[in-house]
């Protein structure tokens, strides 16, 4: 958390994506499918008349060989796995209204994502990161609750997509594992400078805040590229721009040409505030209507084309719900493993909740144990972090804060900082528009920086990994 953050917002936005959304549609690449061998036909016996064709007797049809399409470190990706992932990708694209995608383009993008997922899963395994069955069950239950469907309906929905329930669980397990890896390696490094927040809050742009739903097509440019390479990339970007002006689908062009990890979602970037966009991009967006595209924009990492999929004015709410929270934190680090920290926070919680029938004694116990064990600066105050608004904390902590009843001790919470328990002591509605605005700005900056750090980290991982794509 003390690592100085020196990258620029432009680099963050250039690399920012909905990578996380894409990981949600990927199948596990950790399983090594068993290769099925072609059945050998018995040698046919020649007929007495030479010209007559001869058929093998009682021969079974040949079974397709599940060939290897890529080697990733010490693991493989098979044709069957790739085919299944492509089917899922096609289904997800059709759900977004993106159809008639070129098969070769789709195959290249899906295989690239499977390779990157496998690289991360390998690193997670080496780092001792595991996901329990209980975590998978909780994630699936939350998914069903969000969709307002039963467990039986979920099975039916998966079957309609050609996906088995076991494979679905495997996907969820991989997603959780990669998210844990991301929290450990990336999210904990994100630092939000309060001066950044104040500077944006006081800017003229913020007074006329607009949110854009954006998609992008990115033509990456190698670092320290030669002039002829830059000219080639510029020519390709200009060609794509002309095709778009002639009516070609932005989604299809993104799938075919974009080198960004969000290509399989048509380049979708989600909602972006004009306060977080670099002027070179914002100037191109100003005046555009929904459905229109920018010209080719040259940035340090390559050439970009943006499409405006939505526009909305940002209203500032006046009433803010705040939560008076205290917590105990056990950090995960070189000396304390994830499992050890988890066990320790559960032991601390057990010592507190045994006094649940005596609120005063329970409160005393919480304060005492926070001062004794918590590895947060709030330990000096018995874990009290004061009044907190939505957006002030990381998502995992915030979710527990919003869902834990007042006066009760939460279950163990895993955040980028380690394992917590928390208690919401009180809530209030306050007219704190300025604090709310700061919280929103802080959240946008956190997301932008995390996206940039994650993308850079993934790129470094790929450079260090052994990847070989089969030419067969």
């Amino acid at each position: 958390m003390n690592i100085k953050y020196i990258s620029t917002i432009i680099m963050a936005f250039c690399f920012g994506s909905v990578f996380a959304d894409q990981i949600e549609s990927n199948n596990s690449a950790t399983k090594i499918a068993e290769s099925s061998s072609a059945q050998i036909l018995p040698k046919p016996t020649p007929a007495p008349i030479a010209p007559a064709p001869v058929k093998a007797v009682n021969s079974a049809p040949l079974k397709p060989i599940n060939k290897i399409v890529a080697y990733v470190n010490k693991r493989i990706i098979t044709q069957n796995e790739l085919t299944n992932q492509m089917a899922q990708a096609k289904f997800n694209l059709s759900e977004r209204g993106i159809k008639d995608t070129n098969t070769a383009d789709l195959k290249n993008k899906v295989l690239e994502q499977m390779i990157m997922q496998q690289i991360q899963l390998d690193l997670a395994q080496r780092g001792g990161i595991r996901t329990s069955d209980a975590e998978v069950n909780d994630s699936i239950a939350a998914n069903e609750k969000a969709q307002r469907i039963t467990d039986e309906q979920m099975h039916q929905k998966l079957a309609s997509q050609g996906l088995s329930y076991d494979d679905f669980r495997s996907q969820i397990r991989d997603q959780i594992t990669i998210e844990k890896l991301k929290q450990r390696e990336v999210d904990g490094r994100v630092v939000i400078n309060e001066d950044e927040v104040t500077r944006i809050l006081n800017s003229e742009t913020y007074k006329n805040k607009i949110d854009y739903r954006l998609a992008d097509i990115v033509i990456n440019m190698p670092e320290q590229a030669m002039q002829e390479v830059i000219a080639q990339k510029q020519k390709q970007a200009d060609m794509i721009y002309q095709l778009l002006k002639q009516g070609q689908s932005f989604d299809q062009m993104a799938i075919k040409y974009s080198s960004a990890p969000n290509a399989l979602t048509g380049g979708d970037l989600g909602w972006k505030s004009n306060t977080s966009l670099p002027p070179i991009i914002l100037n191109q967006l100003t005046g555009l209507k929904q459905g229109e595209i920018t010209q080719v924009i040259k940035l340090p990492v390559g050439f970009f084309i943006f499409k405006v999929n939505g526009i909305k004015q940002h209203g500032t709410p006046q009433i803010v719900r705040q939560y008076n929270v205290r917590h105990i934190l056990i950090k995960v680090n070189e000396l304390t493993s994830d499992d050890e920290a988890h066990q320790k926070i559960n032991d601390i919680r057990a010592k507190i909740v045994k006094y649940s029938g005596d609120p005063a004694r329970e409160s005393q116990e919480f304060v005492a144990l926070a001062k004794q064990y918590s590895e947060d600066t709030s330990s000096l105050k018995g874990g009290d972090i004061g009044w907190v608004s939505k957006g002030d904390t990381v998502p995992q902590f915030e979710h527990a804060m919003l869902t834990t009843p007042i006066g009760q001790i939460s279950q163990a919470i895993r955040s980028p900082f380690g394992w917590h328990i928390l208690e919401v002591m009180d809530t209030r509605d306050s007219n704190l528009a300025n604090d709310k605005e700061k919280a929103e700005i802080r959240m946008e900056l956190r997301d932008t920086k995390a996206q940039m750090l994650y993308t850079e980290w993934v790129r470094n991982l790929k450079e260090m990994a052994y990847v070989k794509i089969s030419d067969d």
Side-chain angles (χ1 to χ4, degrees), residues 39 41-42 57-63:
Q39 184 171 349
L41 294 174
V57 180
N58 297 327
S59 61
L62 288 172
K63 296 180 181 179

Side-chain angles (χ1 to χ4, degrees), residues 185-251:
E185 300 291 337
V186 179
D187 292 351
R189 297 167 52 197
V190 176
V191 177
I192 306 300
N193 190 317
E194 200 62 28
D195 290 341
E196 296 176 84
V197 177
T198 302
R199 186 166 56 251
I200 292 175
L201 182 64
N202 295 331
S203 68
E204 287 297 322
T205 302
Y206 191 81
K207 295 177 182 178
N208 301 293
K209 188 175 179 183
I210 301 174
D211 291 335
Y212 295 95
R213 181 69 184 265
L214 297 177
D216 67 352
I217 293 175
V218 183
I219 305 300
N220 274 349
M221 192 162 50
E223 189 176 359
Q224 298 179 343
M226 302 295 289
Q227 192 60 43
E228 55 266 28
V229 175
I230 297 175
Q232 180 184 9
K233 298 291 185 179
Q234 173 81 66
K235 183 177 180 181
Q236 184 182 20
D238 291 340
M239 178 269 293
I240 296 170
Y241 176 77
Q242 291 301 324
L243 290 173
L244 292 170
K245 296 297 287 186
Q246 294 169 16
Q248 291 290 325
S249 164
F250 193 95
D251 296 327

Side-chain angles (χ1 to χ4, degrees), residues 340-352 369:
E340 290 171 339
H342 191 189
Q343 183 61 50
K344 188 173 182 179
I345 200 69
N346 279 331
D347 292 342
I348 293 172
R349 182 181 185 276
K351 293 178 181 179
I352 297 173
L369 292 174

Side-chain angles (χ1 to χ4, degrees), residues 151-161:
D151 193 56
E152 182 180 354
Q153 289 172 324
M154 173 62 82
H155 280 74
Q156 294 172 352
K157 183 176 181 180
L158 294 172
S160 69
Q161 300 176 25

